[in-house]
Amino acid sequence: MHQETDQVPRHVAVIMDGNGRWAVERGLDRIEGHYEGRKAARRFVEAASDRGIEVVSLYAFSSENWSRPTREVEALMGLIETALRAELEYLCARNAQLRVSGRLHELPEGLQRAISDAIRATDDNDGMVLNLCVNYGGRAEIVDAVRAIAAEVQSGTVAIEDIDENTVSEHLYVPGLPEPDLLIRPGGELRVSNFLLWEIAYVEFYTLPVYWPDFKEEHLDEAIADFARRRRKFGRLVGMDE
Ligand code: FPP
């Protein structure tokens, strides 16, 4: 019999893909797909919190998404800001803590304010962490960590020979989170798309041919059941070294 993982992953990361295709296939504007995607995100947070998942990371806007048409970029910025303000009460009722990963200083000021207000308002909560990734890029996160560490070396607070993997982890946008156990990508693509590159070293990948707006709690249950059947090795020879 093989070794099974814990039943429920601690940290689930999601690439919320397929909003555009969902809309286009219905003859709708792509932006309508993002509106539906927001509803799917709310359902996901609720289902994850009900199942005892400790951290959910959602890829809401990548550093590459700026190259989309201005109208779509502006719609997404507005949608994220509106959602943050509208869902604040709900997040607090769920005792959820909001964290945001990304180059936040490059975002519109209104969205920056909504982010800092929401982080502050959920700061005393100690339930599930919602890590919203906005203007996020995995390589940019590593570059920013390297810059922060280099500044500490320059100021003499860190010695080069003391830099190890923990040092890098401690300088990520949201340090202290458990690494993702399960990465879900709806929409059928088999790509990582610059998401949480440092953090996903040992993640279990799950994809499904369902667009994000159609993602329901039963899909999360299928992903968790699939995860529970996986044999996680972390580079070891499972069964021979235990
Ligand atoms: C990718 O689908 C999705 C995005 C770039 C945006 C995701 C953002 C949301 C769902 C808003 C959620 C907001 C909050 C606050 C949780 P795509 O447009 O690349 O789809 P396609 O591959 O079908 O074109």
Side-chain angles (χ1 to χ4, degrees):
M1 215 182 96
H2 67 235
Q3 174 197 324
E4 294 200 336
T5 55
D6 291 333
Q7 287 301 302
V8 177
R10 290 182 71 192
H11 182 171
V12 180
V14 187
I15 300 174
M16 303 186 287
D17 197 20
N19 296 346
R21 280 167 285 165
W22 181 93
V24 169
E25 285 182 14
R26 284 162 179 76
L28 301 169
D29 192 297
R30 291 175 54 82
I31 292 166
E32 295 295 327
H34 297 313
Y35 289 136
E36 286 304 309
R38 174 191 160 184
K39 293 182 199 162
R42 157 73 108 95
R43 287 197 300 272
F44 189 88
V45 166
E46 177 139 338
S49 149
D50 284 346
R51 283 153 184 77
I53 291 168
E54 292 171 42
V55 183
V56 164
S57 290
L58 298 181
Y59 207 0
F61 191 90
S62 79
S63 41
E64 288 73 37
N65 287 153
W66 294 108
S67 61
R68 294 193 176 198
T70 312
R71 202 176 141 264
E72 185 169 347
V73 169
E74 284 175 357
L76 277 167
M77 291 295 143
L79 171 60
I80 297 168
E81 180 177 341
T82 308
L84 279 174
R85 296 207 181 280
E87 303 295 352
L88 205 47
E89 210 173 306
Y90 169 77
L91 288 176
C92 286
R94 282 259 156 188
N95 193 27
Q97 315 165 60
L98 182 80
R99 300 284 182 273
V100 182
S101 293
R103 287 188 174 160
L104 307 187
H105 60 279
E106 294 173 355
L107 294 171
E109 272 181 27
L111 177 52
Q112 288 190 44
R113 263 195 307 279
I115 288 171
S116 46
D117 290 349
I119 290 174
R120 206 171 319 111
T122 62
D123 206 31
D124 290 336
N125 300 343
D126 58 5
M128 194 182 85
V129 172
L130 171 58
N131 174 34
L132 195 64
C133 301
V134 188
N135 190 22
Y136 177 86
R139 287 184 175 179
E141 181 175 38
I142 295 169
V143 168
D144 289 348
V146 169
R147 284 184 183 164
I149 296 166
E152 291 176 14
V153 170
Q154 201 168 35
S155 68
T157 49
V158 168
I160 289 179
E161 53 277 16
D162 290 339
I163 296 172
D164 58 14
E165 292 187 8
N166 285 331
T167 319
V168 177
S169 295
E170 284 159 10
H171 288 81
L172 298 176
Y173 293 131
V174 183
L177 297 180
E179 286 179 9
D181 303 292
L182 177 62
L183 172 59
I184 301 178
R185 181 166 192 153
E189 305 288 352
L190 295 168
R191 276 195 294 275
V192 168
S193 298
N194 203 13
F195 193 38
L196 303 175
L197 293 185
W198 178 268
E199 297 89 333
I200 61 168
Y202 291 104
V203 82
E204 296 290 330
F205 195 79
Y206 184 85
T207 183
L208 65 165
V210 165
Y211 296 141
W212 176 245
D214 288 329
F215 195 98
K216 304 273 163 29
E217 64 179 323
E218 52 265 32
H219 298 120
L220 174 60
D221 286 331
E222 283 160 19
I224 293 174
D226 191 86
F227 173 81
R229 287 190 295 270
R230 308 264 180 108
R231 247 186 341 163
R232 302 187 80 192
K233 294 170 59 179
F234 301 99
R236 291 172 291 132
L237 291 175
V238 172
M240 292 183 74
D241 58 345
E242 295 183 329

